Amino acid sequence: MVRRAQLFITCLGDQFFPGVLQRMVGLLERLGVQVGFPAEQTCCGQPFFNSGYWSQARDLAAKWLRVFGRTEGAIVSPSGSCVDMVRHHYPRLFPPGTPEHRLAIETAARTFELTQYLAHELKAIEVGARFPHRVTYHASCHLLRGLGVREEPKALLGGVQGLELIPLPGEETCCGFGGVFSVIYPEVSRTMMEAKVQAIDSTGADVVVACDAGCLMNIAGGLRKAGSPVRAMHLIEVLTAGGGMP
Amino acid sequence: MDSAREEILKNVRRALGREPDSALPALPATARVGPRVAGPIRDEIEALFTEIQKLSGTTRRLAGRDALGPALAELVTAEAVRKATLWTTPDLESLDVAGALQALGVEIVPPQAGKARVAECELGVTGVDAALPETGTLVLRSSPDRPRVVSLLPRVHLAILRPAALRADLHQAFGDVQGDGYCVFVTGPSRTADIELTLTLGVHGPRSLHVWLLPGC
Amino acid sequence: MSHLPASIDFRANVRQVPPALPAAVQKATAKFLGTRAALVDALGHDVWQALRQAGHDLRLHALDNLDRYLEQAERQVLKAGGHVHWARDAAEAQRIVLDIAGQHRARLAVKAKSMATEEIGLNQALETAGLRVLETDLGEYIVQLKGVGPAHIVVPAFHLSTEEIAALFREKLGVEAPAEAQQLTQIARVKLREEFLRADLGISGANFLIAETGTIVTVTNEGNGRMCCTVPPVHVAVVGIDKVVPDWESLTVLLKLLARSATGQKLSCYTQFISGPPRSEAETGPKELHLVLLDNGRSRILQTAETRETLLCIRCGACLNVCPVYNSVGGYAYGYPISGPTGVLFASQILGAKAAGALPFASTLCGACNDICPVKIPITDILLQLRHRVVEGDAQESAVAPYRLQLAAQLGSFALARPWLYRLGSRLLAWLQAPLRSGDWLLRLPPPFNRWTMARPFPAFAPGFRAWWRSRSHHTRGRS
């Protein structure tokens, strides 16, 4: 029986992180997964839901469910917050007993964040990666508290040859992105981001790794603003590294 | 009748979608935690004393009644006690704590003399109605012979403890006091960290807490 | 500050935060989080989680049966010889307390720390009527002298340095005041001792109200709670109706949760249980006890099932301590006596969306508060409901957000729901960004997105995945 996975690339991944998505495809295929990409997908509706615009969120959720509901196999995404949206909030957007509600529950049950999928579905902790650098890990909030994914990313980093994992002070503290929060309360967002950048700098690591596009945009921008040499990378980039910096 | 009362209750009932005379359901089992089983009395007292000391309280074991006088002499000197007020429970009367203090030149102020006079006392002496080892807590009840101000106004609180006062936990202690009009659970001397998180003692309640164990009943 | 603003402008408040404040906040919260964690570890993870669940379940049970428990509490207090008053709103509560003060010709009132009394602006109302009202919790006393409100519900003045407090005492009390905490504490003790003994009225709140026996429970470390409830001849307790718990046994759970969560103590110094005035003439204590049951919007909060659990709060302050937003701005930015996550929940609902609609958005929804709350309030879920209320309206209130935002949301979702329009928009943005581009970054974006770029650059649009997928599919098809 061939394992199938459908790519849930997310709007941010689609617009800003083509390399991450390509590498994800490469790794999954190397692990024997037949990868599909439903091209009609756009956005899961999270920004609208988080902003309180539930009518719009419902429309986009219904569309997302139509696109992915007719696929087979696991639905895998490199973003914890989008998966959290689908798994925890989609069922609540539709009244119990409706077809949309049933579809939301069924589809949510087979939607995974990438490290969840690798660790629990594929049982692939060591994937033959080599990345001889000092790395620190930032735990994205929705991945950590929404999905309960705490150890898996670190276990995967532990399986990378030559990688030295340095604990990040305040690893579980929010980086200050918060979606629309970053433009509604930019000063607070900045304060939180600067604290995160300072913590990262204090580790002496070359690279900070995270599993969420929003966090990465925020932290990478912050590192650049601070003139820091530290690179912000998605976990998949480290897992598909052959030795040098990609 | 009280229209505010009626309106509030009406709003609450409406918010809950309640039928006016539906029965009160029992609390769910998950809302309860089990009681603690006490260990041997010696261990319980050891635990109690450890907690009290952690809270900057002072503990002492007195061999018997006769040790009380010398101990009080030390306390009166160390804490510069000139006036004292006491509970008038049978136990304290039988120990004649008041007499011993008077013999040391301490003026005894009856609690009924009024709050201003009680506030002039450096020392307040009480018994202990119940003691909780896990937290180092002393339960003090209130009655005509257990005035509340004795353990509150003076800057030194001396509590005379008997082993029989030990209780396993809050469940047991509540069993004793829940029918009372008033009680206070005292866990260490008065404290605050309001000024730059620095711990200071003796804000409004006593600054020193002394707990002396006497054997027997 | 006992008066509340007509509308809370969180962003404007944040801009007023002194630069030194966040560091002071974090020093305090880190300490509390540390001592809390040590005690939770000592208890054991499973025991702690069971306690949290028990705390949640019993508080929810109390709320679900609030009317019956309120009636039971009232019966018991009356039986014990106390007076019971009911206040629908702040104004009514003020009038009730003023009446009691008037009946006793009270001129001086001493107050224990009570968020409920700050919520209703009691101090101001009493002072306007000619009474002197003295806060007696040391932190509250300090901020009262300074003329500001509390910066944290547990340690109201933690943000002030010892030097600042010494200067304040010198200025306002006219005494020699060295910049040393124990000596400052002693000064306050002596000053407030005089007032306690002179006061006509003692005002408190209650941490809990036990329905079973009509018992007011107060939890303090300083002893001011005992003073206010014991020394003056009249005791008035202003208690939110949400404070009711069914029975004494409930406190075996709640007392284990409260002090550990608040300050990392196993139990606070003084837990007082007051069931009516003293039962005999010969007992020391107040001659009269008045319980004022305060609604002020709580029954309205009960109405919405999705936000009802707001009222489970036991006011421990743990959510403030762990909140990254609170730690970045401190308590004053929230414009309400209670700040942090639980403050947002209360302020939004007690003041309403029009006045406090900015607050539910003052969060990244990181969820740290959910995990630390000792009674498992689903704080971020409630925040989401409150945001929904602000922008779309719900059964409780109609929308208050400006229409242009609604329009933007509609346009945005319109485009995102149509893959062809979404892809067109994506190509357009990738093209439009050219003049703004600096390598992989856009250093400046037009408003409102300049709010992002004022803090850090935005990544350049790079929508290359779809073309890559199409070309490799063609490739694969071509090969086979």
Side-chain angles (χ1 to χ4, degrees), chain C residues 74 86 99 109 447 472:
Chain C
E74 177 191 49
W86 298 71
D99 274 348
R472 119 201 169 112

Side-chain angles (χ1 to χ4, degrees), chain C residues 164-187:
Chain C
E164 282 176 274
I165 296 169
L168 190 62
F169 279 16
R170 284 195 287 270
E171 185 200 345
K172 300 285 181 166
L173 304 178
V175 296
E176 289 284 310
E180 193 278 315
Q182 186 68 55
Q183 291 180 70
L184 290 172
T185 303
Q186 181 65 20
I187 291 170

Side-chain angles (χ1 to χ4, degrees), chain B residues 7 18 22 30 142 151 205, chain C residues 57 64 68 189 226 283:
Chain B
E7 199 176 311
R18 169 181 311 304
S22 49
T30 51
S142 168
S151 62
Chain C
D57 289 351
D64 285 344
R68 315 200 78 96
R189 177 191 171 95
R226 291 176 70 186
E283 250 182 284

Side-chain angles (χ1 to χ4, degrees), chain B residues 110-129:
Chain B
Q112 288 71 25
K115 53 200 183 190
R117 288 214 56 214
V118 173
E120 290 170 3
C121 300
E122 290 83 11
L123 172 66
V125 185
T126 72
V128 177
D129 290 308

Side-chain angles (χ1 to χ4, degrees), chain C residues 374-453:
Chain C
V375 289
K376 296 178 86 161
I377 301 173
I379 297 173
T380 53
D381 280 349
I382 299 176
L383 284 173
L384 285 164
Q385 177 71 32
L386 293 174
R387 292 179 180 195
H388 174 61
R389 177 177 294 176
V390 169
V391 306
E392 283 193 343
D394 64 1
Q396 198 52 244
E397 291 190 69
S398 24
V400 296
Y403 184 63
R404 66 174 185 279
L405 294 175
Q406 175 87 31
L407 205 54
Q410 279 166 351
L411 288 172
S413 73
F414 184 89
L416 287 166
R418 286 155 185 78
W420 66 268
L421 193 46
Y422 166 80
R423 288 193 294 266
L424 181 64
S426 165
R427 279 204 288 279
L428 190 64
L429 285 168
W431 179 70
L432 280 173
Q433 72 178 343
L436 299 168
R437 219 177 149 140
S438 175
D440 291 331
W441 298 99
L442 307 175
L443 301 179
R444 261 178 299 278
L445 288 174
F449 305 105
N450 58 340
R451 289 172 170 217
W452 175 282
T453 50

Side-chain angles (χ1 to χ4, degrees), chain B residues 77-124:
Chain B
T77 309
E79 298 275 17
V81 176
R82 288 189 312 262
K83 298 183 187 176
T85 185
L86 297 90
W87 277 9
T88 50
T89 53
D91 193 36
L92 287 183
E93 305 270 86
S94 78
L95 290 170
D96 195 21
V97 180
L101 286 169
Q102 274 172 320
L104 295 165
V106 175
E107 182 192 332
I108 304 300
V109 175
Q112 288 71 25
K115 53 200 183 190
R117 288 214 56 214
V118 173
E120 290 170 3
C121 300
E122 290 83 11
L123 172 66

